[in-house]
Structure formats: structure tokens, C-alpha cells
Amino acid sequence: MPTVDDVLEHIGEFNLFQKQTFLILSLISASFTPIYVGIVFLGFTPDHRCLNPGVSELSKRCGWSLEEELNYTMPGLGLPGDAFISQCRRYDVDWNQTALGCTDPFANFTSNRSHISLTTCQDGWVYDTPGSSIVTEFNLVCTNSWKLDLFQSVLNIGFFIGSVSIGYIADRFGRKLSLLITILITAVSGVLMALSPSYTWILIFRFIQGLVSKSEWLIGYILLTEFVGMKYRRTVGICYQMAFTVGLLILAGIAYALPSWRWLQLTVSLPNFCFLLYYWCLPESPRWLISQNKNAKAMKIIKHIARKNQKSLPTSLQSLKPDEEASAKMNPSFIDLVRTPQIRKHTLILMYNWFTSAVLYQGLIMHIGLAGGNVHLDFFYSALAEFPAALLIIFTIDRIGRRYPWAASNMVAGAACLILAFLPHDLMWLKITVACLGRLGITMAYEMVCLVNTELYPTFIRNLGVMVCSSMCDIGGVVTPFLVYRLTDLWRELPLLVFAMIGLIAGVLVLMLPETKGKTLPESIEEVENMQRQRKTKEKIIYLQVQKPEVSLN
């Protein structure tokens, strides 16, 4: 009895229907971008200083320029390592008193400013930015700066919880219904976040977005790969991830046009409501319907695909059976992921690489907002570097293999972070170039771990292995904001040194995995355990050239 893949070979593996499905689902991939990395603009932290009541009146009376005003009234200005003092402390002085002079306001009090006591920014802050962010609106600076880290961390906690449950939801209720529900919740929570009156409500809706938005992206990926034929599945999956990169470019343009975080959040959230029209555009996955013994509905959809692709469906292919993986009877267990030596090694290395990919990818993007350049242009340029990453994967994985390009991409990302940490600030063009190279490397590594993860586990624990290992991606996302923003308080380039170490270690660990190029997916634990042994045996083979004596035919 034929499978869906057998039928797709006759009615089209990537024809008109699949191309239209790819285009509309790619919009979901692109719309996930503002949620995943929008903190760069939503949580942008501009230069700031304490608000001093009375200073503006004194400045007008004395005719000070802004530079003179800051020089007279800000402590720690211009001193290396005193950014915290200049941004989070002010002189404990009543600026409304008449004894203050214009040439040197403190001349009547002390000859040394360092003797003047300091106090906290009790009346708020002044921010040097024409727009707004959640940082400027809710004063998430100084002692409240950890709240910005929490803003991104709750999103990744939502990702983690949502990703753990997504497999069950999509398998229990179907791909289409699950997709529409996650679209609706993502849209509503995004709009409510833009209208939130307080930081607490923002966190609540941010967490809800995390619960469903990544699940929405994953369901779109699953649905797309189930509609295309086997030989197109890998390329289509990579192109689906490229749509996310297109979303990065669009986000940079929208953020430039809308400097207010509320308008930006509202603008990127409203298009999600349009995706509810997919109820009429997308059919249910025939593979899922067959797995639920709904063969009649599956055949109706397959005939629709055949008509759309202008193909005929042979009568011999109108009785379907589930794919072999769907009909597997073995019950997977978490213990199976660490029971045997090779699978245990695969699990630990893959978990570390998922963690590395998330930390370096999100970390490099967040660091853009702290680098001091034009955040919109820097974000745009680094996003462009992701396109070559996808092309390099497509052209190398079947020619060179998986291991060496994957290891090299991690090492390139790590080395770029190391170089970037020590480049002088005045060489901005070189810093941007190296940052783009690092972004290319970690993007390639991120997409490679998605691909190779499925190839290193046997069939009956493949989905479980991907779920468990990829959950470290969300753990990395929880940790990253604290790494970036807290370590930056000590030294702006310190996060880059941490990223460099993590990336270089990941590259070395990848070399310990077996090569999966040209190999069928393993079906049993024994096949996985023998993958490394086969490689070692092959490396020890010595080829001898034997010259046979010529034999005369006469």
C-alpha cells in the first residue's frame, strides 16, 4: 500500500500547490522575527542621566550650552569607568538656591567636587533619544536594569514551555487547527502588549507570546515539510528559515520609521490577524489525517493537490497507509537518550550546540544595540549576512558533508567574537565586517544543528531527541540577556569574550560527531552505535594498487 511520499512523486513534489503553500507559510516565518529579536528596538537603552530639578532654570539664567550644563551638573562625566555614576547618580544639591554661580556653581561650597555627596536619581532620568522604548517609558535603567533582562527571559521561558507541548498539541488536534489557534493568540497578545499600561502587564503578554509564537513557527515548518516531496524537504526547510531573515530586514526598516516602541509593537502585531485567512487557504496535512485513520479526508485533500498541480492521480495510489515512522510501535523514553555510549555523546554535544547557537545568535543581535553605532544600519547589515549562510549550507552539505562546515561555522563565529572584542571603536567599518562574519557563522551553525539533530537518532526516539536537545535553545535564550546586559556593565566587550569561548568549544565538539552525509536515517539504536565505528574503520583502510600482468591473447 503506497505512502504519501509515493503519491507526491506522481502528483508533484514541489509544484504550484507546494509553491503557493511555501509563500503563505513563509509570511509566518517572517512575522516571528519581531518577537524573537525585537528587544533590540523595543528595549533600546539610549544615553541617559539623572533629572535634576532646577538645573534647566539655572542653565537658562546662566546661558549655558548643553555641554556646559552637563560639565557643571553631572558627576563622573568623562572619567573612564564612571558610566554608572554619570548615568545613575547626581549631586545632592538644591539647584534652585541663589548662591549658585554661573562660572563655577560649587565655588561657594567646596574647591573639590569629589567631596560633594551623591544621591540616586530620585526624580527620574533624561534620555538622549527622539523616540521611546520600554526602557525610557518605565525607567528600566540603573537599579531597575535587570527588568530589561527579564523582559527577554520570560519570552524564552514561554518558548520552552510551548515547545515541550507543541508536539502533543499538533499531533492531537491537527496541524491546521493548532496553527490557527496560535496565530490568534499571538496576534491578540501582541496588540495587548502594545496597549499595556504597566511593566507587569507587558511581562504577562510577553510570556503569552512566548508560549504560542514559537509553536506557530514550528507548526508552519511541520505543515510545509509534510506537503512537499522527500527530495525537496531539506531545501524548503532552509528557505523557510531564510524567510525569517527577510523579516529581519523588514523589522529594521519599520523600527527606523517608527521610533516609538508602542507603534512599532502594534505595527508588527496587526498582520498576524490576516493569517487567520489561512483557514480558507490551507488544507489539513494528509499525513496527519492518515495517522488518525481519516483516509477519506486525506484522499480528498490529495486530489485537490493533484488538480492544483494539474496532475492525475492513478487509481492504484488511492489507498494509503501511514508512513513507517508514524506506525512505529516502540515507546520512547528519556533514558534512551543517554542509555548507550554513542547516543549519550550525541545528546550531550547536540544539547550544548543548541545552547551555543541560541546564546551567540541572540547575544550578537542584542550587542548591536549596545555597540554605540547606528543601531538600525548595524542591524540591517548583519541581517544581510544570514543569506549567504543558507546558500553555503545548500551547496556544502551534500558535497563536503555536515561535520566540517558545521564545526567551521561555530569556530568562525567564536573567532569573530574574539577579534571583535579587541578592535578599536574608531574602526567601525571593520567592526561591522567582523560582526557580519560572526553572524554568518552562527546562523549557519543554527541551521545545521536543526538539520543534523534528526540524522543522529534512530526513528523511535527521533522526535524526542529533537525536542529535548532543542529545549536547550530556549534555556540559552533565558540566560543570554543577563550575559549581555550584566557583563556589559563590567566591560562592554566582555560578553564577546564569553561568546568566543562558547563558540570555539562548540566547534571542537562537533568534530567528535559522526558524518551523516549520504547515509539513510538510522532505524535502530544499533545503527547509531555503529555510525562512529564505521567511520573509524573506513579511515584505517589502506588502498593498494595492484598491477596485473598483461596476458597475450595469441
Side-chain angles (χ1 to χ4, degrees):
M1 195 175 289
T3 64
V4 175
D5 284 323
D6 297 327
V7 173
L8 287 175
E9 289 181 5
H10 287 81
I11 66 173
E13 294 184 277
F14 193 66
N15 286 45
L16 179 61
F17 171 81
Q18 286 89 351
K19 291 174 182 176
Q20 289 180 346
T21 302
F22 168 75
L23 288 175
I24 61 177
L25 287 176
S26 292
L27 296 176
I28 289 178
S29 182
S31 70
F32 181 55
T33 301
I35 299 173
Y36 193 60
V37 298
I39 187 175
V40 173
F41 304 110
L42 298 177
F44 177 67
T45 304
D47 290 333
H48 51 279
R49 61 187 183 276
C50 291
L51 174 63
N52 287 310
V55 164
S56 59
E57 288 77 7
L58 179 63
S59 180
K60 290 178 183 178
R61 178 168 63 86
C62 295
W64 290 339
S65 64
L66 177 61
E67 183 179 356
E68 289 174 324
E69 177 186 323
L70 298 181
N71 184 50
Y72 289 139
T73 62
M74 277 182 63
L77 187 65
L79 298 178
D82 279 348
F84 176 80
I85 294 177
S86 62
Q87 294 177 348
C88 302
R89 294 288 182 268
R90 71 178 196 188
Y91 290 120
D92 191 8
V93 171
D94 180 9
W95 295 99
N96 291 310
Q97 58 184 303
T98 56
L100 297 174
C102 293
T103 306
D104 186 357
F106 301 117
N108 296 332
F109 298 95
T110 179
S111 59
N112 191 342
R113 290 191 189 184
S114 62
H115 295 161
I116 302 176
S117 61
L118 302 178
T119 186
T120 57
C121 301
Q122 302 168 359
D123 298 288
W125 286 263
V126 177
Y127 297 95
D128 296 331
T129 178
S132 69
S133 68
I134 63 169
V135 172
T136 63
E137 182 165 335
F138 300 104
N139 291 325
L140 307 185
V141 293
C142 299
T143 56
N144 288 326
S145 58
W146 62 271
K147 292 183 178 180
L148 178 60
D149 310 357
L150 187 61
F151 173 76
Q152 185 70 3
S153 292
V154 296
L155 176 74
N156 283 276
I157 293 172
F159 286 165
F160 178 76
I161 298 173
S163 297
V164 169
S165 59
I166 183 55
Y168 171 79
I169 294 172
D171 289 342
R172 177 69 179 84
F173 301 103
R175 292 14 174 172
K176 182 177 178 179
L177 179 61
S178 301
L179 180 66
L180 293 172
I181 291 173
T182 54
I183 286 172
L184 177 62
I185 298 175
T186 298
V188 172
S189 59
V191 170
L192 291 176
M193 181 179 149
L195 303 176
S196 296
S198 67
Y199 172 78
T200 302
W201 280 109
I202 286 178
L203 280 189
I204 292 172
F205 293 124
R206 183 75 164 168
F207 175 71
I208 295 173
Q209 271 198 322
L211 283 176
V212 295
S213 58
K214 186 176 180 181
S215 299
E216 176 189 343
W217 188 90
L218 287 171
I219 294 170
Y221 182 87
I222 293 168
L223 193 57
L224 179 61
T225 55
E226 289 184 346
F227 276 129
V228 302
M230 188 178 298
K231 66 181 180 181
Y232 291 97
R233 203 166 294 158
R234 184 184 301 149
T235 302
V236 167
I238 293 172
C239 292
Y240 182 76
Q241 296 179 64
M242 286 180 67
F244 177 88
T245 304
V246 174
L248 292 172
L249 303 179
I250 297 172
L251 176 61
I254 296 175
Y256 179 78
L258 300 173
S260 169
W261 79 269
R262 290 189 182 272
W263 283 109
L264 173 61
Q265 175 64 27
L266 189 65
T267 302
V268 299
S269 298
L270 288 176
N272 285 282
F273 287 103
C274 299
F275 300 153
L276 294 173
L277 298 174
Y278 289 1
Y279 176 82
W280 293 276
C281 302
L282 283 176
E284 181 55 270
S285 167
R287 298 177 193 268
W288 180 80
L289 290 170
I290 293 169
S291 72
Q292 302 297 307
N293 295 318
K294 299 179 180 180
N295 288 23
K297 290 184 179 180
M299 185 51 61
K300 183 178 179 181
I301 292 172
I302 286 173
K303 289 180 179 178
H304 167 73
I305 296 173
R307 287 194 301 272
K308 195 80 172 179
N309 291 341
Q310 298 182 348
K311 302 281 186 178
S312 59
L313 181 64
T315 307
S316 60
L317 296 178
Q318 295 191 15
S319 296
L320 299 172
K321 70 173 183 178
D323 295 337
E324 292 181 5
E325 290 188 25
S327 60
K329 300 297 182 185
M330 299 182 70
N331 294 318
S333 166
F334 287 99
I335 301 298
D336 293 319
L337 299 178
V338 294
R339 190 192 307 275
T340 56
Q342 293 303 318
I343 292 182
R344 180 166 57 247
K345 182 177 73 173
H346 295 176
T347 299
L348 294 175
I349 293 177
L350 287 169
M351 289 175 72
Y352 182 81
N353 270 271
W354 275 105
F355 177 84
T356 298
S357 296
V359 170
L360 265 70
Y361 186 84
Q362 292 191 46
L364 285 174
I365 290 177
M366 291 178 193
H367 199 265
I368 290 174
L370 305 173
N374 186 317
V375 64
H376 298 92
L377 278 179
D378 292 349
F379 188 90
F380 183 85
Y381 292 147
S382 62
L384 287 176
E386 294 194 11
F387 288 103
L391 297 176
L392 282 171
I393 292 174
I394 293 173
F395 287 112
T396 59
I397 56 175
D398 290 327
R399 292 172 173 82
I400 301 175
R402 276 73 157 153
R403 271 196 323 146
Y404 292 120
W406 186 13
S409 62
N410 273 310
M411 291 180 178
V412 166
C417 290
L418 185 62
I419 296 171
L420 201 59
F422 296 103
L423 283 177
H425 189 71
D426 54 351
L427 293 176
M428 186 56 67
W429 66 271
L430 186 56
K431 289 178 75 73
I432 293 175
T433 302
V434 175
C436 288
L437 187 62
R439 183 76 169 273
L440 183 150
I442 198 56
T443 301
M444 190 172 174
Y446 216 152
E447 296 181 4
M448 287 291 286
V449 71
C450 297
L451 168 67
V452 178
N453 201 150
T454 61
E455 299 177 337
L456 290 175
Y457 286 110
T459 299
F460 84 100
I461 59 170
R462 185 168 297 126
N463 290 336
L464 178 66
V466 173
M467 182 191 75
V468 171
C469 293
S470 62
S471 66
M472 292 303 297
C473 167
D474 302 318
I475 300 298
V478 172
V479 173
T480 303
F482 293 94
L483 281 178
V484 174
Y485 297 122
R486 294 313 106 224
L487 293 182
T488 302
D489 289 341
L490 301 176
W491 178 39
R492 177 165 288 185
E493 312 304 338
L494 184 56
L496 294 174
L497 295 182
V498 177
F499 298 158
M501 179 183 66
I502 294 174
L504 292 172
I505 292 174
V508 173
L509 290 177
V510 166
L511 295 175
M512 299 171 65
L513 294 173
E515 178 57 68
T516 57
K517 171 194 168 188
K519 295 181 180 179
T520 58
L521 293 176
E523 298 292 338
S524 65
I525 290 179
E526 290 73 21
E527 290 183 31
V528 177
E529 291 298 307
N530 290 328
M531 291 173 76
Q532 193 79 12
R533 296 171 194 157
Q534 291 172 0
R535 184 171 71 90
K536 289 181 179 178
T537 303
K538 185 176 179 181
E539 289 173 351
K540 292 179 180 178
I541 294 177
I542 300 176
Y543 294 92
L544 299 177
Q545 183 176 7
V546 179
Q547 184 175 3
K548 296 182 179 180
E550 295 183 0
V551 179
S552 176
L553 296 177
N554 296 328

